[in-house]
Amino acid sequence: MNDLYNSLILIEDYALIDWNTSADYCEWRGVNCSYDNHIIELNLGSYSPRTNFTVYGVLPESLGNLFHLEYLDLSNNLITGSIPASIGELENVEQIFLSGNQLTSTIPQTIGRLHNLEVLHLQDNVLEGSIPKTIGRLQNLCCVDFSNNHLDGYIPYALHNITAQLYQLDLHKNELEGRIPPFLNTTAIPQLNVDNNCLDRPFPRWCFHGDNCTRSPVCDLRSNLVSLYSGWGSPSWLKNWNSTRTVCVWDGVHCYWDNDKFTLGLYLQQNNLVGTLSSSIESLTGLNVLVLNRNNLTGTIPPSIGNLVDLTGIELSQNQFDGTVPSTLSNLTNIRTLRISNNKLQGPLFDGFANLPFLRELDLSFNNIGGSIPSSLQHSKVDLIDLRNNKFEGSISQSYFNTPPYLQLQNNLLSGDIPF
């Protein structure tokens, strides 16, 4: 228990909870012992009615020394690192709840040693790799939830050995591939979910009841990102790109599910990227944030970017983009932040800001954009408008603007009562 004490930190109302090592560990918060002082329960799940704290840290290899443990709940905390292989030494454990953390790496093969295990919940983590075949040895296992991770590979045929007692098998929101094994069906396993994976068609008939087999947006993400990557000169310093690992752990790629909506963020600022921004960017389904500032990207901003209707933030500043600001940006009705400063953009600015009700920050400063300031922008509710150092012209009055807290118009060709 001392190693566990040194590896995990318990926080309650922003204050550290001290596991008093001078006291009997059977009296520690979340620890329950048998009559002969063996630890049989470790209940530190943050949603448990017996706890009201959050656990940080990593799981030590010495976790496997708790040989008498029957119940392990560390769910819904902020535990990082991998699941130690020593978890296979917990030969008496019946229920394991590690869901809702930030656990990475693979599910250890040693899980197959836990012959008394009945419940195994690892959902809502960042686990990758394949489902261990050794899970097919667990003849008492009834409930398995591996959903919302980055597991790939095939659904192991070894699961056939335990379908008789399985009640729950939840594998949805992963990247599993191949055919759905014929022994998997909702008659044999009442709570079966393989939705949002990359499984092959044709799907079995049971799949069409309750949309249990829709294809995940992640399935095509690899090829779409590789296309962008090739256009940028395939820079070797982008970690994991074009590798066999799941795309959601590639450098700068953030994937997550917001309830049932897949969301993607691309954060590749200051990476010495060269080349152009391909029109194929529209294929990045679910793209929510695009950050490519401080690179050396050239060419025009593709109009197809306006098809990414889930975008809430665009940051393309400090590149070498030329051409005009695409009018298709007016299609991005969810956009909140639009920054394309310090480029070589020209021409007039589109007049479609009335279509962007959530836009709060617009920075187009230090370009060569000309023409008049669109009337729809002058009457918008944007909090920050920075149009400095461009070639906007025409007469303007302070009454045209709703006086945003931050408005910068200097170093243009404007006349009239210019607000600053």
Side-chain angles (χ1 to χ4, degrees), residues 383-396:
D383 295 328
L384 184 155
I385 300 176
D386 193 343
L387 303 178
R388 288 174 296 163
N389 293 79
N390 278 286
K391 296 182 179 179
F392 288 108
E393 57 188 13
S395 178
I396 193 168

Side-chain angles (χ1 to χ4, degrees), residues 11-294:
I11 302 293
E12 180 179 30
D13 296 329
Y14 304 101
L16 179 68
I17 298 175
D18 185 18
W19 271 355
N20 186 357
T21 54
S22 62
D24 183 354
Y25 52 70
C26 291
E27 302 298 324
W28 291 6
R29 183 85 71 95
V31 176
N32 188 26
C33 292
S34 62
Y35 69 92
D36 51 355
N37 288 331
H38 292 305
I39 297 173
I40 57 173
E41 181 177 312
L42 191 58
N43 188 355
L44 298 174
S46 68
Y47 290 169
S48 168
R50 296 176 56 183
T51 60
N52 57 352
F53 49 77
T54 300
V55 181
Y56 299 76
V58 298
L59 298 178
E61 197 65 35
S62 59
L63 177 66
N65 295 336
L66 302 178
F67 306 116
H68 299 275
L69 197 66
E70 298 174 4
Y71 181 91
L72 174 63
D73 185 357
L74 292 167
S75 60
N76 302 300
N77 284 293
L78 293 171
I79 300 173
T80 58
S82 60
I83 300 173
S86 65
I87 199 169
E89 303 301 320
L90 303 177
E91 58 184 27
N92 291 297
V93 73
E94 297 175 356
Q95 299 182 54
I96 294 178
F97 300 92
L98 298 178
S99 54
N101 282 286
Q102 298 171 13
L103 294 168
T104 56
S105 193
T106 60
I107 301 173
Q109 294 284 343
T110 53
I111 285 287
R113 301 176 187 171
L114 305 179
H115 297 294
N116 289 303
L117 191 63
E118 299 173 1
V119 178
L120 179 59
H121 281 192
L122 304 179
Q123 71 269 24
D124 301 323
N125 279 288
V126 200
L127 297 168
E128 54 182 301
S130 59
I131 298 173
K133 297 177 182 179
T134 55
I135 197 171
R137 303 173 185 170
L138 306 180
Q139 296 298 319
N140 290 306
L141 194 60
C142 73
C143 302
V144 177
D145 193 341
F146 292 163
S147 63
N148 200 14
N149 280 286
H150 301 303
L151 301 174
D152 56 19
Y154 297 99
I155 298 175
Y157 196 82
L159 284 172
H160 183 263
N161 300 328
I162 59 173
T163 51
Q165 75 270 8
L166 271 180
Y167 179 81
Q168 176 201 33
L169 178 62
D170 195 339
L171 304 176
H172 83 284
K173 295 179 183 174
N174 279 287
E175 294 152 46
L176 299 168
E177 57 189 12
R179 298 291 296 272
I180 298 175
F183 57 84
L184 288 187
N185 59 77
T186 50
T187 300
I189 307 173
Q191 292 187 11
L192 174 62
N193 193 343
V194 294
D195 191 28
N196 276 301
N197 277 282
C198 304
L199 298 165
D200 293 344
R201 293 178 173 87
F203 294 142
R205 185 174 299 176
W206 64 265
C207 269
F208 302 102
H209 300 283
D211 295 326
N212 282 325
C213 298
T214 52
R215 186 173 172 84
S216 171
V218 180
C219 306
D220 302 315
L221 189 55
R222 178 183 299 274
S223 60
N224 294 334
L225 286 177
V226 167
S227 176
L228 289 175
Y229 177 73
S230 299
W232 296 331
S234 303
S236 59
W237 52 88
L238 285 182
K239 297 178 181 177
N240 302 318
W241 276 66
N242 209 11
S243 73
T244 57
R245 298 185 69 192
T246 171
V247 295
C248 293
V249 299
W250 289 7
D251 190 32
V253 179
H254 294 194
C255 308
Y256 60 95
W257 288 88
D258 185 2
N259 292 320
D260 288 326
K261 185 176 180 61
F262 176 74
T263 302
L264 172 68
L266 203 56
Y267 299 86
L268 295 173
Q269 67 272 21
Q270 205 168 353
N271 267 291
N272 292 320
L273 301 179
V274 298
T276 61
L277 184 57
S278 170
S279 61
S280 65
I281 192 162
E282 69 175 331
S283 62
L284 297 183
T285 303
L287 187 63
N288 178 261
V289 177
L290 176 63
V291 180
L292 296 172
N293 60 303
R294 296 189 180 186

Side-chain angles (χ1 to χ4, degrees), residues 355-372:
N355 299 330
L356 309 179
F358 299 110
L359 184 63
R360 292 296 175 264
E361 182 176 344
L362 175 68
D363 187 354
L364 301 175
S365 60
F366 295 91
N367 280 288
N368 295 306
I369 304 172
S372 60

